[in-house]
Amino acid sequence: MAALKLIDVISHLHSEKLVSVSPEEQIRLADDAFAKICTMITDPSTNVRVLAASLLGGFREVSLEFLNQTLDKKLLSTLRKKKPGFEGNKENNENTEWSSGKKMYTEVSKEDIEDDNVSLMSSGACGAFVHGFEDELQEVRTATLDSFCKLATYFPSFASISLDFLVDMFNDETEEVCLKAIHCLQKISLHIMLREDQLKTILVVLEDFSMDLREALHTMLASCRLTTKECLKFCVDSLLKNLMRYPQDKRSIWRCLQQLGERHPYLTLPLVPELLSIHPFIDMTEQNIEDPAYICNLILVFNAASKCHVMLSLFDEYTQKHYSYLKDTLPHLVPHLKLSNVSVSSIDIESSDEHSRKFLNQVLERVAAAEHRNPKARQNILETSIQDLKQLSAIEPKLSAAANCAALYIQCQLLLAKIISNKNWLNPSLLSPLQSSTLKSSLEKLLQLSFCLSHQFLGLNSEEIICLRQLRLRALSLQLMVLIRGSNTSALGPCEAFLEQVDSLQRFQEEQGLSPDSFTSALFRDLDSLEDPKPGTVARVLQPLLQSCPCPSLRLNVDSPEGLARVKQASAVIHEPAADSENVHKFTAGLVLGITMDAEVENVENVKNVKVKVKYPDQQVQLILPRLADFRQQGELQYRLYTSVLLSHSIWSEACHVEMSLVLDFSDTEVCARNSQRSTGLLKAEDSTIELCKPVKVNISPKPAKKGI
């Protein structure tokens, strides 16, 4: 193995140097080293075969003749040594037929010559990739596919002639190897075109039980080019059969058909009447827009029509109505088309985006200007601004995250102002039960909103992050004040956790070179002057600062290169179980019921924090951690969660709804929240969680166990 690695290193350093393979012949060192490593593909040792197969992918300097020889176990004529002209003529004049045996001392045919004596490449090195594909061990086949993919990506002509060998790997008995072959074909899709006979082998994978294989094949088909309209029709029919057999593949198939339509507009054109049941002379009945197969055909045709405008003249009245419906319900899958009944233009869309950005900026400026108004007027302005931002978030997807971030920040401002102006937080121990409950609920809501601001949004710059962290520090300061003034229990633990947050914010501010607001800078200065920061002394520092330093307004950087679209919000969409389903799931009480959950999670940096929250009718709450294997990455910070949620409960008299949702759980990482939760009763268990979506209700009915006869 060390010798193989040494050959690999030397061949890369001196690839163009000529070496002698016989007294008459010289070849490049890169070609000779490639041939030598190819011979190791058939070595008895497993580790040697794996290493040799993995090293082949690094030979970008190899000649194309040597590379093509790896696909044929027989020596190609291009690698046979050529004799000089006079020797060739001499051999032609000699007898080349086999001896009949009638004459003694008759010579045998001149063709009976060893391959090693006439070739530039050893016969044992021929068909190296074929040997690797046929190897009995999965590790060798996987390493061979990796090297094959690298070389096929670098040599387009090699990719085209080797396509049949790669397609045969789709029949591999191992799921990992088949998945590797799919990914390899996807990477070389720019250099190949699929024929109908190859598609028949490829599309068999759509019948496989493995969701990973099916979705990988959908992605691969979306990036490939087909040769004929028959290939496209066969591909569409196979995808529709896949949809009927595995309905959970619906969104993956939709994305595949979207790309197929964009890549093959002129192959789709002759199929439009058949796909949409359109006739040029006869009025056909309207298709069911709720039929998943018909929606697949519409997505394919509409995306093809965006590249082939001739197709628009074939659409009947029903098709145009269905386009308007799909454009509203599936805007990410349906492109903009210039139809007669659709009046929205791209210019209108661009102007709408510009107006939305200006409106968001005006709302933030209005909130900033309200700092100098009287408290009542300022409260009305903040409440109105929150409603405006929520409406903007609902109608403008690109600015939804930025609008939600600003709305949450203003809500925190409003809650903070109400709590401080009421002054009940100064003496919590003297409050009535009603006043104490109001203060407690307001403080819990403030802590929860500020916690969401700190963990739910991505893409913020350092100035915006420090603004959110300073707001969070104010909320924690108010919580510590209420605890110290309103409880006889020791506040030493929460005070230490608060000081850790202060130190963390101070380090961040110094690293980024930013200036804090008046409250934070005064807090840094006063706490540094304390010799022994005990809860009582810290409270005496916090009280005048909270009363005298108003919370500054949030300023989002609208002029950044990406604009406000850079701000992303962690969110999730649950597709299964359906929100409007009335099916009752019955199971034996005390046992386990599995509910399939299919959801899409986006803008989450660490999926280990994603958990399934289950809330039973008796207000019992469970946080269930899905397996990491249940998350399938679909893009940058985008995941699909397909898992089974296990429910169990005692006997119920009738069926009831159980709420299921996805949350981000930071109970293991948020030190301050964990310490405060242990020390006080002000924080609930879900204060360290963030809701990613609205809960979905599932109707279940635990039944008593049937008694045997």
Side-chain angles (χ1 to χ4, degrees):
M1 294 179 65
L4 284 178
K5 295 178 182 178
L6 185 60
I7 292 174
D8 179 64
V9 172
I10 294 176
S11 65
H12 291 316
L13 293 176
H14 308 283
S15 59
E16 299 298 328
K17 187 175 181 179
L18 297 178
V19 295
S20 299
V21 294
S22 69
E24 299 87 8
E25 295 292 340
Q26 287 185 331
I27 61 174
R28 297 165 60 246
L29 179 59
D31 296 335
D32 188 47
F34 183 79
K36 292 291 189 298
I37 294 180
C38 283
T39 59
M40 296 294 103
I41 291 291
T42 56
D43 192 87
S45 172
T46 301
N47 294 331
V48 172
R49 297 203 304 273
V50 173
L51 178 60
S54 60
L55 290 178
L56 290 179
F59 280 88
R60 291 191 173 186
E61 305 86 2
V62 67
S63 300
L64 193 58
E65 293 81 7
F66 283 80
L67 189 58
N68 292 340
Q69 182 61 68
T70 59
L71 301 176
D72 197 334
K73 294 182 180 180
K74 294 182 180 180
L75 190 68
L76 299 178
S77 60
T78 55
L79 292 181
R80 293 182 182 272
K81 291 194 295 186
K82 302 299 188 293
K83 298 285 186 180
F86 65 90
E87 292 187 11
N89 293 333
K90 180 179 178 181
E91 291 178 358
N92 290 335
N93 295 329
E94 295 179 356
N95 180 27
T96 59
E97 296 181 356
W98 294 98
S99 173
S100 63
K102 296 180 179 180
K103 298 181 181 180
M104 295 184 65
Y105 308 111
T106 304
E107 295 181 355
V108 297
S109 171
K110 295 297 182 180
E111 295 296 324
D112 188 15
I113 303 175
E114 293 294 332
D115 285 341
D116 290 342
N117 297 329
V118 300
S119 64
L120 302 178
M121 186 175 184
S122 171
S123 59
C126 298
F129 278 128
V130 179
H131 286 296
F133 290 154
E134 296 174 350
D135 198 279
E136 62 181 0
L137 291 178
Q138 174 187 333
E139 293 81 2
V140 179
R141 300 198 301 273
T142 303
T144 305
L145 278 171
D146 285 330
S147 295
F148 176 87
C149 181
K150 293 177 183 178
L151 293 174
T153 304
Y154 193 74
F155 295 93
S157 59
F158 176 70
S160 60
I161 65 175
S162 61
L163 182 58
D164 288 332
F165 296 93
L166 181 58
V167 170
D168 287 340
M169 295 302 295
F170 282 59
N171 297 321
D172 195 275
E173 59 185 6
T174 310
E175 179 180 340
E176 290 77 8
V177 176
C178 185
L179 189 62
K180 178 71 71 174
I182 294 174
H183 291 158
C184 181
L185 186 55
Q186 180 183 351
K187 292 178 181 179
I188 66 174
S189 59
L190 293 176
H191 311 308
I192 61 171
M193 294 186 71
L194 295 178
R195 304 188 308 270
E196 188 172 0
D197 60 312
Q198 294 167 342
L199 274 177
K200 290 181 180 179
T201 304
I202 291 173
L203 295 177
V204 173
V205 181
L206 293 177
E207 302 175 4
D208 197 278
F209 179 76
S210 172
M211 179 183 293
D212 292 332
L213 282 180
R214 298 195 307 270
E215 290 195 347
L217 189 64
H218 297 158
T219 306
M220 186 272 293
L221 289 174
S223 61
C224 288
R225 293 179 297 166
L226 308 179
T227 52
T228 63
K229 67 181 180 65
E230 287 76 15
C231 291
L232 180 61
K233 184 64 171 63
F234 181 60
C235 187
V236 172
D237 292 341
S238 300
L239 288 171
L240 294 181
K241 291 179 182 178
N242 175 197
L243 181 63
M244 292 179 60
R245 188 169 184 177
Y246 300 104
Q248 63 267 28
D249 294 350
K250 177 175 62 176
R251 286 173 301 281
S252 180
I253 293 174
W254 284 352
R255 289 190 294 268
C256 176
L257 290 170
Q258 177 192 19
Q259 296 296 323
L260 281 175
E262 289 183 356
R263 290 179 176 272
H264 307 89
Y266 294 100
L267 295 183
T268 309
L269 180 60
L271 300 176
V272 171
E274 181 181 358
L275 292 174
L276 301 185
S277 300
I278 296 175
H279 196 277
F281 309 116
I282 302 175
D283 289 337
M284 307 296 289
T285 58
E286 182 179 5
Q287 298 293 313
N288 182 14
I289 191 60
E290 300 298 332
D291 181 13
Y294 179 63
I295 293 178
C296 290
N297 292 336
L298 286 177
I299 291 174
L300 173 73
V301 171
F302 288 153
N303 283 277
S306 65
K307 306 295 182 181
C308 178
H309 301 297
V310 179
M311 204 179 299
L312 300 178
S313 60
L314 300 178
F315 294 168
D316 59 5
E317 180 183 357
Y318 296 136
T319 305
Q320 296 187 18
K321 290 181 179 178
H322 295 164
Y323 167 77
S324 301
Y325 172 76
L326 288 183
K327 185 62 179 174
D328 292 335
T329 55
L330 301 172
H332 59 291
L333 294 174
V334 180
H336 173 70
L337 299 178
K338 295 181 180 179
L339 297 178
S340 57
N341 64 338
V342 180
S343 58
V344 179
S345 65
S346 59
I347 299 177
D348 296 333
I349 296 175
E350 292 177 2
S351 61
S352 175
D353 293 342
E354 183 64 27
H355 289 318
S356 299
R357 285 192 292 268
K358 289 182 178 178
F359 177 74
L360 176 58
N361 197 26
Q362 290 173 358
V363 172
L364 295 179
E365 290 177 353
R366 185 175 63 198
V367 172
E371 294 179 1
H372 307 290
R373 306 287 294 273
N374 61 74
K376 185 64 177 178
R378 183 171 183 268
Q379 178 179 341
N380 293 334
I381 292 175
L382 294 182
E383 291 175 350
T384 305
S385 300
I386 292 172
Q387 296 299 323
D388 292 342
L389 291 172
K390 288 182 178 179
Q391 292 293 331
L392 178 62
S393 172
I395 64 176
E396 192 61 60
K398 294 181 180 179
L399 300 178
S400 176
N404 285 334
C405 180
L408 285 177
Y409 188 91
I410 297 172
Q411 279 184 276
C412 291
Q413 277 186 294
L414 189 58
L415 279 171
L416 195 61
K418 286 181 178 180
I419 295 175
I420 292 177
S421 62
N422 199 8
K423 296 185 179 181
N424 287 335
W425 58 280
L426 294 174
N427 295 297
S429 58
L430 303 179
L431 300 179
S432 64
L434 179 60
Q435 292 174 325
S436 178
S437 176
T438 304
L439 175 62
K440 180 180 177 181
S441 60
S442 299
L443 185 57
E444 286 174 353
K445 186 175 182 181
L446 174 62
L447 291 169
Q448 183 65 22
L449 293 178
S450 62
F451 186 80
C452 291
L453 278 172
S454 302
H455 295 86
Q456 196 173 5
F457 296 94
L458 304 175
L460 299 171
N461 57 35
S462 55
E463 291 87 355
E464 295 160 351
I465 292 176
I466 196 171
C467 191
L468 301 184
R469 293 187 64 174
Q470 288 175 155
L471 176 65
R472 173 69 175 169
L473 189 63
R474 286 175 184 261
L476 295 175
S477 303
L478 194 57
Q479 178 207 14
L480 184 61
M481 281 293 302
V482 173
L483 172 64
I484 295 173
R485 296 292 177 85
S487 174
N488 294 328
T489 58
S490 173
L492 189 59
C495 183
E496 291 178 353
F498 172 75
L499 293 177
E500 289 180 10
Q501 293 289 319
V502 174
D503 292 339
S504 175
L505 179 58
Q506 190 171 9
R507 287 193 302 270
F508 177 79
Q509 171 254 324
E510 292 174 353
E511 291 172 358
Q512 300 296 328
L514 302 174
S515 58
D517 59 15
S518 58
F519 171 82
T520 310
S521 60
L523 182 61
F524 290 162
R525 183 185 64 252
D526 293 346
L527 289 180
D528 289 341
S529 63
L530 296 178
E531 296 181 359
D532 188 11
K534 293 183 178 179
T537 57
V538 172
R540 285 192 290 271
V541 169
L542 291 176
Q543 179 176 339
L545 295 180
L546 287 171
Q547 290 177 316
S548 61
C549 300
C551 183
S553 300
L554 176 66
R555 295 189 181 276
L556 295 175
N557 188 6
V558 185
D559 300 327
S560 61
E562 303 87 359
L564 293 179
R566 61 184 166 80
V567 183
K568 305 296 182 182
Q569 181 178 6
S571 61
V573 178
I574 298 178
H575 300 287
E576 287 186 33
D580 53 353
S581 177
E582 294 296 332
N583 294 334
V584 179
H585 301 271
K586 299 180 181 180
F587 67 102
T588 303
L591 298 183
V592 175
L593 170 67
I595 301 293
T596 301
M597 172 175 281
D598 188 1
E600 292 181 351
V601 183
E602 60 180 7
N603 302 320
V604 174
E605 292 182 313
N606 189 359
V607 293
K608 294 181 180 180
N609 294 328
V610 178
K611 293 184 180 180
V612 181
K613 180 180 178 180
V614 180
K615 188 175 182 180
Y616 291 94
D618 58 357
Q619 303 305 308
Q620 179 184 352
V621 176
Q622 292 180 354
L623 292 179
I624 302 174
L625 179 65
R627 299 183 306 165
L628 288 179
D630 293 337
F631 290 94
R632 296 168 174 84
Q633 188 164 6
Q634 297 182 324
E636 186 179 1
L637 299 179
Q638 293 181 344
Y639 302 88
R640 180 185 181 185
L641 173 61
Y642 192 83
T643 187
S644 180
V645 182
L646 303 181
L647 307 180
S648 181
H649 212 278
S650 56
I651 301 175
W652 296 353
S653 59
E654 60 183 12
C656 294
H657 287 102
V658 172
E659 294 184 354
M660 298 172 57
S661 62
L662 290 175
V663 298
L664 287 177
D665 183 21
F666 295 95
S667 58
D668 296 333
T669 57
E670 186 69 13
V671 179
C672 180
R674 184 169 67 249
N675 290 343
S676 300
Q677 182 178 347
R678 289 176 178 175
S679 305
T680 73
L682 290 174
L683 290 179
K684 296 181 180 179
E686 59 264 27
D687 280 343
S688 58
T689 63
I690 298 175
E691 295 278 354
L692 293 178
C693 60
K694 293 182 178 180
V696 174
K697 294 183 178 180
V698 180
N699 209 6
I700 67 173
S701 177
K703 296 294 184 181
K706 294 182 180 180
K707 298 181 180 180
I709 299 175

